[in-house]
Amino acid sequence: MKSNRIFDKIIGILFRVVLLVNTIMVVYPLLWTILTSFKTNTEILGNPWVLPKSVNIGNYVSAFTKANIGSYSINSVLVTAGSIILLVTMAVSSAYALARYEFPFRKFIKNIYMGGIFIQITFIIIPLFLLMTRLHMNDNRFWLSLVYAVSQLPFSIYLLISFMKGIPKDYENSAMIDGCSYAGAFIRIIVPLAKPGIITVTIFSFFAFWNEFPLALTLISTDTKKTLPIGLANLMEVQRYATDWGALFAGLVIVLVPTIIVFVLTQDKLTKGMQLGGLKG
């Protein structure tokens, strides 16, 4: 018994050490980037490891004005919001049909969606580009949003099916007895009860869409329509010659802030949503 307790304590200490090291590896670069974004070029080139002597807001002003980060941010907001709306609309209705009804080829269609989880978008980016070029869909933020939504559709349906299966059919039957149609029962009963799953899908999708790079780089060519990751990459290329490193780090912080805020505000709901989905699946 005593040896088992000693062993458990050793394992516990090792776990804490690993978690501490992992936390430092994640937090330190983040803090270093934020602090560097307030430094002048002289401070960055002189000693990048010391604290800034003063808060230099000019880096953020330069990022928004000279590097056009503000316009790129608006494009990212529009594309991300449109993608999430399209994705949730398609995923919720598809998962509802696959989870709640029996119809011909249901299992085959479900397997097709499940197989789509293992297809990375970068594997099909060339034929996708050629297809969208032929259909005149390139360089359009709406079609980019649709491609984003479709790329996340298999995983979202897989996640939502587990929530849909866990909802008793008695709720739908009672609603229909009271005069609800299938669509009415879906909107008034199923969607509210599946809210944890919808929130989980929305959060995962936000992280994927906000930080997406290859598709935006391939499908958008006009500078005024480019998203924030592409704008940041352009800014990095400019800084190779302009040496305005403070503006570059300010741009990095601008990209990071929304994802950090969303994660901090929704981490509890995200964790609970994944737990509920796992239990019901």
Side-chain angles (χ1 to χ4, degrees):
M1 290 293 294
K2 187 175 181 180
S3 59
N4 290 337
R5 290 179 181 177
I6 294 174
F7 179 77
D8 290 340
K9 288 182 179 180
I10 293 174
I11 295 297
I13 292 172
L14 290 176
F15 272 120
R16 288 177 174 83
V17 170
V18 171
L19 290 174
L20 179 61
V21 172
N22 186 62
T23 301
I24 294 173
M25 292 175 62
V26 172
V27 173
Y28 179 75
L30 178 62
L31 292 177
W32 184 81
T33 301
I34 295 173
L35 292 174
T36 306
S37 69
F38 294 107
K39 293 182 179 181
T40 63
N41 286 335
T42 303
E43 291 176 327
I44 295 172
L45 297 175
N47 189 347
W49 309 110
V50 298
L51 295 174
K53 296 179 180 178
S54 61
V55 178
N56 184 17
I57 304 298
N59 292 333
Y60 289 88
V61 175
S62 298
F64 272 99
T65 56
K66 298 179 182 179
N68 205 24
I69 291 295
S71 176
Y72 297 138
S73 300
I74 293 173
N75 290 333
S76 282
V77 170
L78 293 175
V79 170
T80 302
S83 302
I84 289 174
I85 292 171
L86 291 170
L87 173 64
V88 170
T89 302
M90 293 187 292
V92 173
S93 55
S94 299
Y96 173 69
L98 291 171
R100 313 286 289 185
Y101 295 101
E102 293 287 343
F103 53 88
F105 304 109
R106 183 184 70 88
K107 290 185 178 180
F108 176 75
I109 295 173
K110 183 179 177 181
N111 290 335
I112 291 294
Y113 278 123
M114 298 306 102
I117 296 176
F118 303 99
I119 300 176
Q120 295 297 320
I121 198 66
T122 51
F123 297 161
I124 60 172
I125 197 167
I126 294 176
L128 178 63
F129 172 76
L130 296 176
L131 175 63
M132 294 188 68
T133 301
R134 181 170 297 183
L135 296 175
H136 305 288
M137 293 180 176
N138 282 341
D139 202 25
N140 186 293
R141 285 170 292 190
F142 172 77
W143 295 121
L144 178 63
S145 297
L146 182 60
V147 172
Y148 278 1
V150 172
S151 68
Q152 288 292 314
L153 193 59
F155 172 75
S156 301
I157 290 176
Y158 174 78
L159 187 63
L160 286 171
I161 283 176
S162 62
F163 284 91
M164 299 295 183
K165 285 183 177 179
I167 300 174
K169 290 190 176 181
D170 294 340
Y171 291 112
E172 291 170 277
N173 297 333
S174 299
M176 291 177 183
I177 291 173
D178 292 336
C180 265
S181 62
Y182 286 102
F186 169 68
I187 295 172
R188 299 178 182 178
I189 305 298
I190 300 300
V191 171
L193 291 175
K195 187 178 178 181
I198 296 173
I199 292 174
T200 303
V201 166
T202 301
I203 296 170
F204 273 119
S205 302
F206 171 82
F207 292 142
F209 299 154
W210 184 264
N211 297 306
E212 200 283 326
F213 183 83
L215 282 174
L217 178 65
T218 305
L219 302 180
I220 299 294
S221 57
T222 303
D223 188 67
T224 56
K225 298 179 182 179
K226 290 180 179 178
T227 57
L228 195 52
I230 307 303
L232 186 60
N234 293 342
L235 180 60
M236 292 179 66
E237 288 297 318
V238 170
Q239 301 320 312
R240 292 174 61 186
Y241 307 100
T243 63
D244 189 2
W245 299 108
L248 173 60
F249 283 99
L252 289 170
V253 174
I254 292 170
V255 175
L256 288 171
V257 164
T259 56
I260 294 173
I261 292 175
V262 169
F263 177 75
V264 170
L265 294 178
T266 61
Q267 59 176 328
D268 292 337
K269 293 182 179 180
L270 180 62
T271 304
K272 292 178 181 178
M274 290 300 295
Q275 290 174 346
L276 288 173
L279 291 174
K280 291 180 181 178

